[in-house]
Amino acid sequence: MGLQTYAVCKNYGETRALYDVDLCVERGEFFTLLGPSGCGKTTLLRIIAGLEMADNGRVEINGQDCTKIRANRRPVNTVFQSYAMFPHLTVLENVCFGLISRKVPKAEALEKARQTLDLVQLKGFDSRKPDQLSGGQRQRVALARALANEPEILLLDEPMSALDAKLRVQVQVELRQIQQRLEKTFIMVTHDQEEALTVSDRMAVMNVGQIAQYGTVREVYDRPLTRFVADFLQTENFIEAKAIGETEVATPYGNWTLPESIPWEAGTLSVRPENLQLARPGTPQCDLQARVVTNIYKGCYQKLILDNGLTMETDATTILEAGDTVGVHVPRESIILLYEEEIQRMKAPAPDEKEAAV
């Protein structure tokens, strides 16, 4: 059980925001909807929450059809970007608010709220007002308020977007630890790739209203299927290639034999900067030579931008300057074969097409 969506569609005027989205989130996992602004991820989250109604399709939670059920009757709670805290209420009163609205006895609600505040490491903050809290603390109060209601699924709409970079990393780890401790289903929306990789068991990368790819974070990161997914997950090297044999391709850098069959006559290869290796020029390991255009120091490693369009990351102990010539080895097992995009910009169907789809 868990969450399933079947062929969910949503239109805004003539623009189709979601197109036949099928999704399966297992109970107890941390799942992330990742994608750029306007890709439909927040619309999908709001449909799961019941804050928007799908034009077509079905939403099931733990096997129950929730498509037509109102938001306040669904076993979910949502943490929004803005946190939406009541400024005149204390931290404890903010966390209690949902419980008391559900007619939970006051003493029980207070005890539950205190337990939840303890869970998010805010014990002793009961009497503070929201304006007396830091951004990270307000985020935890919003999380505690949602968790106090014991939802089957917790929905998080870019909950860390307002935090600074250092605090965001800290809260990401804490959020993951809370989810694992509670063994609850968390579904988060974000456009931050590193955030998705940090907290998720699995994720779906979305583009123009469809799921471009989904799987475990390692599957999606290591083996993106399309150029869009690879590019969004910060793969910077794309190499145009033509098949000249079952496993051999011609590239601008020479002919390479790959460890798998080539699925197209002409297409794109991808290789991550961290997978390229320095090699001594003139040796069998050296696949190409290039000149360093820019060296960006990153502390424990350096990022080299080469004059042939490739980017690589190397150990910072090897000192290289702009203008230096380097040899590069491209490990064949690290090369990713990308498929053509199947996603196209969509408009809402005409009324007769919509009726036929139903």
Side-chain angles (χ1 to χ4, degrees), residues 274-334:
E274 64 266 28
N275 290 330
L276 295 179
Q277 301 171 6
L278 290 176
R280 188 180 298 277
T283 63
Q285 284 290 98
C286 182
D287 293 304
L288 56 100
Q289 288 185 208
R291 185 172 58 85
V292 176
V293 176
T294 305
N295 182 336
I296 303 171
Y297 180 66
K298 295 284 189 175
C300 59
Y301 70 94
Q302 58 191 332
K303 185 173 185 176
L304 305 179
I305 299 174
L306 307 179
D307 65 350
N308 60 5
L310 296 179
T311 299
M312 65 185 300
E313 295 173 0
T314 69
D315 193 310
T317 58
T318 304
I319 300 174
L320 294 165
E321 303 291 345
D324 289 347
T325 297
V326 295
V328 180
H329 172 57
V330 185
R332 302 302 187 259
E333 67 277 6
S334 70

Side-chain angles (χ1 to χ4, degrees), residues 155-187:
L155 307 175
L156 302 120
D157 184 9
E158 302 206 42
M160 290 164 273
S161 60
L163 306 180
D164 64 62
K166 184 176 180 180
L167 183 57
R168 190 180 304 129
V169 172
Q170 177 187 335
V171 174
Q172 287 167 9
V173 173
E174 291 174 354
L175 186 63
R176 178 59 167 157
Q177 290 173 342
I178 290 169
Q179 185 269 334
Q180 290 176 321
R181 198 178 311 144
L182 295 175
E183 298 182 342
K184 290 278 188 182
T185 306
F186 282 24
I187 302 176

Side-chain angles (χ1 to χ4, degrees), residues 92 95-96 99 108-118 144 148:
L92 187 62
V95 176
C96 277
L99 295 169
E108 183 181 337
L110 289 170
E111 178 59 26
K112 182 64 180 176
R114 290 192 180 96
Q115 290 175 1
T116 312
L117 286 171
D118 192 17

Side-chain angles (χ1 to χ4, degrees), residues 89-102 104-128 137 140-150 178 182:
L89 299 182
T90 65
V91 164
L92 187 62
E93 290 167 341
N94 266 282
V95 176
C96 277
F97 186 83
L99 295 169
I100 293 174
S101 298
R102 290 169 42 211
V104 174
K106 187 173 181 179
E108 183 181 337
L110 289 170
E111 178 59 26
K112 182 64 180 176
R114 290 192 180 96
Q115 290 175 1
T116 312
L117 286 171
D118 192 17
L119 176 69
V120 299
Q121 300 180 27
L122 285 180
K123 185 175 182 179
F125 284 70
D126 301 20
S127 60
R128 293 196 190 184
Q137 289 165 345
R140 292 182 203 176
V141 173
L143 181 61
R145 182 177 55 192
L147 290 172
N149 289 302
E150 299 185 331
I178 290 169
L182 295 175

Side-chain angles (χ1 to χ4, degrees), residues 3-5 8 47 58-61 64-67 74:
L3 168 81
Q4 291 83 34
T5 70
V8 167
I47 287 173
R58 191 166 81 255
V59 177
E60 290 187 3
I61 299 175
Q64 179 186 9
D65 187 349
C66 295
T67 310
R74 297 191 186 193

Side-chain angles (χ1 to χ4, degrees), residues 188-220:
M188 183 177 74
V189 158
T190 185
H191 62 272
D192 187 315
Q193 303 90 336
E194 187 174 344
E195 189 167 281
L197 294 171
T198 300
V199 302
S200 309
D201 294 305
R202 292 190 304 143
M203 64 182 180
V205 182
M206 296 189 67
N207 187 25
V208 290
Q210 292 179 296
I211 293 176
Q213 184 175 351
Y214 84 98
T216 67
V217 291
R218 189 175 294 275
E219 288 168 349
V220 179

Side-chain angles (χ1 to χ4, degrees), residues 202-243:
R202 292 190 304 143
M203 64 182 180
V205 182
M206 296 189 67
N207 187 25
V208 290
Q210 292 179 296
I211 293 176
Q213 184 175 351
Y214 84 98
T216 67
V217 291
R218 189 175 294 275
E219 288 168 349
V220 179
Y221 183 86
D222 288 346
R223 288 291 160 182
L225 295 178
T226 66
R227 181 164 183 152
F228 169 81
V229 175
D231 190 37
F232 195 76
L233 290 173
Q234 300 179 335
T235 297
E236 298 174 67
N237 298 320
F238 297 99
I239 304 166
E240 300 306 315
K242 291 184 179 180

